[in-house]
Amino acid sequence: MSSTRWDPLRDISSFRDAMNNLFDEGLLSPRSGSTAMAGSIPLDVRETVDRYIITAPLPGVQPSDVDITVLGSNVRISGEIRAQDEAVEPDEECHWLLRERRFGHFERSISLPTSVDSQAANASFNTGVLTIQLPKIDQARPKTIPIKVGE
């Protein structure tokens, strides 16, 4: 029989860690593979040496229904997903059996690690996917400093 000393602080620490995981993963951010919060859109954000690239799937959305604003390192994407119901004759009886597509206003704001050059930013819309390219400001780009030898 082994004897282990009971440490009440260890139990409190594991409870605190479990609660932190619950809030970090379960309540505050959607888990990968699950649907995003209502009124929000899923994003992918990549970083290269000189720019950030944001990709957002927006199926059925017209580019004219999307607004993108950039201020410093903050990017806001908002717009409207409009219902595209087929016309139903007034004398026909019709009811939904399943309706999972979301319609209405959406908005998503993110903060990037560094400021971007909003004047040089561009956005494209291809097959329902919005892609935003945001060049980093010169101060945020890595610089190589040459070393002088023997002067």
Side-chain angles (χ1 to χ4, degrees), residues 1-51:
M1 171 179 223
S2 69
S3 109
T4 340
R5 188 172 178 164
W6 179 64
D7 181 10
L9 294 178
R10 182 177 49 219
D11 292 340
I12 292 172
S13 294
S14 63
F15 178 71
R16 184 185 64 225
D17 291 341
M19 292 304 291
N20 285 340
N21 286 338
L22 174 67
F23 282 106
D24 289 343
E25 296 175 12
L27 299 176
L28 299 179
S29 62
R31 291 189 172 116
S32 65
S34 67
T35 56
M37 297 175 292
S40 182
I41 55 172
L43 297 178
D44 291 336
V45 182
R46 295 177 291 167
E47 179 180 11
T48 66
V49 173
D50 64 343
R51 70 186 59 241

Side-chain angles (χ1 to χ4, degrees), residues 7 18-19 37 42 59 61 63 72 95 99 107 123-124 128 139 148:
D7 181 10
M19 292 304 291
M37 297 175 292
V61 176
H95 64 278
R99 190 167 194 182
E107 182 174 322
S124 61
Q139 293 89 349
K148 296 179 184 177

Side-chain angles (χ1 to χ4, degrees), residues 44-115:
D44 291 336
V45 182
R46 295 177 291 167
E47 179 180 11
T48 66
V49 173
D50 64 343
R51 70 186 59 241
Y52 297 103
I53 302 165
I54 300 173
T55 309
L58 298 173
V61 176
Q62 297 299 315
S64 58
D65 291 335
V66 179
D67 292 316
I68 304 165
T69 55
V70 178
L71 179 61
S73 64
N74 295 319
V75 180
R76 182 177 160 267
I77 305 167
S78 63
E80 184 80 20
I81 300 173
R82 301 183 192 281
Q84 299 173 346
D85 294 336
E86 291 78 30
V88 176
E89 295 297 321
D91 59 347
E92 290 184 45
E93 287 189 28
C94 176
H95 64 278
W96 289 100
L97 296 177
L98 180 64
R99 190 167 194 182
E100 294 179 340
R101 294 182 301 155
R102 189 174 51 83
F103 304 103
H105 181 77
F106 64 86
E107 182 174 322
R108 183 73 187 266
S109 295
I110 60 166
S111 271
L112 298 170
T114 61
S115 294

Side-chain angles (χ1 to χ4, degrees), residues 124-145:
S124 61
F125 204 85
N126 188 16
T127 62
V129 178
L130 173 68
T131 302
I132 307 167
Q133 298 208 21
L134 303 155
K136 296 177 184 178
I137 58 174
D138 287 334
Q139 293 89 349
R141 294 183 187 166
K143 294 176 179 51
T144 302
I145 301 171

